[in-house]
Amino acid sequence: MPLFSIYAPDYTDDEAIQRRLAVRQAHLDAAAKNPAMKVGGAMLSPNEALDTPDAERKMIGSFMVIECPTYEDAKKMIESDVYWTGNVWDKEKTVIRPFVTPRPL
């Protein structure tokens, strides 16, 4: 079955992180139950966020690899996510692309 990569940056307004945190557990619970979700997680800022134990770790979006029969199915899956419907992910900047890998996920 085809794989799709999802690049979903968050909106950058002052309330964006509060919207993310308000629906985060629902997002994580749904992702954990969804067999189409192959890998996913939060993108962090700054780029050095993991270099030292006390570095700032600000969530700025999501990256995922999902397995869906078609692009339209992948799009429907993303657009039904609480981060999409809750205005966490920036709808103008979210990108869904076919993804291939030489190693099975």
Side-chain angles (χ1 to χ4, degrees), residues 9-27 59-60 81-91:
D10 291 354
Y11 285 108
T12 58
D13 59 275
D14 291 339
E15 292 80 33
I17 191 64
Q18 285 80 23
R19 289 194 305 274
R20 174 181 267 271
L21 295 176
V23 296
R24 185 170 187 252
Q25 195 58 54
H27 167 79
M59 291 182 282
I60 59 165
D81 190 288
V82 69
Y83 278 178
W84 183 273
T85 61
N87 292 315
V88 174
W89 289 332
D90 187 325
K91 294 175 176 76

Side-chain angles (χ1 to χ4, degrees), residues 28-95:
L28 294 173
D29 291 346
K33 294 176 190 171
N34 188 340
M37 179 67 64
K38 298 305 172 191
V39 65
M43 296 185 296
L44 302 176
S45 178
N47 290 340
E48 299 78 19
L50 301 178
D51 290 354
T52 59
D54 59 343
E56 176 187 10
R57 292 184 176 113
K58 180 181 174 190
M59 291 182 282
I60 59 165
S62 304
F63 177 81
M64 297 156 278
V65 175
I66 61 173
E67 186 176 56
C68 291
T70 67
Y71 171 84
E72 283 303 316
D73 291 320
K75 187 173 183 241
K76 286 177 190 173
M77 182 178 151
I78 296 308
E79 291 178 353
S80 68
D81 190 288
V82 69
Y83 278 178
W84 183 273
T85 61
N87 292 315
V88 174
W89 289 332
D90 187 325
K91 294 175 176 76
E92 296 295 318
K93 295 180 181 174
T94 296
V95 177

